[in-house]
């Protein structure tokens, strides 16, 4: 039975991919037709140097904002873990009830 569902899912996935490909191909043809009708020249000049510079500046900015964890960071991490354990214990019956309701 499971392989039937896998087959159905795979078939639906394949069908949706084909439909999307056909739609994109149609959009590409329409765009090409409109561009050829309008006689508009689109020049696409890509400056790789400026792209590299922008990426490098972004990484430098990100790395500059990083800092070594302090004792306060470790303390807050420990407290948050204790609070998560407390919440898991406190709300376990509610979570179990929701799971049982969803399984029906």
């Amino acid at each position: 039975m499971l392989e039937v569902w896998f087959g159905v899912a795979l078939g639906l996935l394949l069908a949706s991919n084909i439909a999307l490909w056909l739609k994109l191909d149609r959009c590409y043809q329409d765009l090409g037709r409109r561009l050829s009708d309008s006689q508009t020249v689109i020049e696409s000049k890509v400056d790789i140097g400026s792209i590299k510079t922008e990426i490098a500046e972004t990484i430098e900015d990100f790395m500059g904002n990083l800092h070594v964890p302090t004792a306060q960071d470790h303390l807050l991490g420990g407290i948050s873990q204790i609070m998560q354990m407390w919440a898991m214990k406190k709300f376990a019956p509610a979570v179990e009830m929701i799971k049982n309701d969803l399984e029906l």
Side-chain angles (χ1 to χ4, degrees), residues 17 47 57 85 100 104:
N17 281 338
D47 183 21
E57 288 174 356
M85 290 182 341
N100 290 337
L104 296 178

Side-chain angles (χ1 to χ4, degrees), residues 50-66:
S50 67
I51 294 173
K52 286 182 181 178
T53 304
E54 186 174 343
I55 291 172
E57 288 174 356
T58 303
I59 291 173
E60 286 176 10
D61 184 41
F62 176 75
M63 296 299 285
N65 290 334
L66 292 178

Side-chain angles (χ1 to χ4, degrees), residues 3 44 48 65 67 87 101:
E3 49 278 336
S44 175
I48 300 296
N65 290 334
H67 65 278
D101 288 346

Side-chain angles (χ1 to χ4, degrees), residues 2-18:
L2 185 61
E3 49 278 336
V4 171
W5 286 111
F6 281 140
V8 168
L10 186 60
L12 289 173
L13 182 64
L14 183 65
S16 65
N17 281 338
I18 290 172

Side-chain angles (χ1 to χ4, degrees), residues 3-104:
E3 49 278 336
V4 171
W5 286 111
F6 281 140
V8 168
L10 186 60
L12 289 173
L13 182 64
L14 183 65
S16 65
N17 281 338
I18 290 172
L20 285 173
W21 180 76
L22 291 172
K23 184 66 175 173
L24 284 174
D25 189 50
R26 173 66 186 209
C27 288
Y28 178 73
Q29 290 174 0
D30 289 344
L31 180 62
R33 191 177 317 111
R34 286 186 184 208
L35 286 176
S36 65
D37 291 344
S38 68
Q39 300 299 324
T40 303
V41 177
I42 298 176
E43 293 184 19
S44 175
K45 294 182 182 179
V46 178
D47 183 21
I48 300 296
S50 67
I51 294 173
K52 286 182 181 178
T53 304
E54 186 174 343
I55 291 172
E57 288 174 356
T58 303
I59 291 173
E60 286 176 10
D61 184 41
F62 176 75
M63 296 299 285
N65 290 334
L66 292 178
H67 65 278
V68 177
T70 62
Q72 180 182 2
D73 295 329
H74 290 288
L75 181 63
L76 290 175
I79 291 172
S80 68
Q81 188 171 6
I82 291 169
M83 290 175 60
Q84 288 174 358
M85 290 182 341
W86 171 80
M88 294 280 287
K89 287 178 185 175
K90 179 173 172 91
F91 298 114
V95 170
E96 201 58 41
M97 185 176 62
I98 291 171
K99 282 183 183 177
N100 290 337
D101 288 346
L102 291 176
E103 288 176 356
L104 296 178

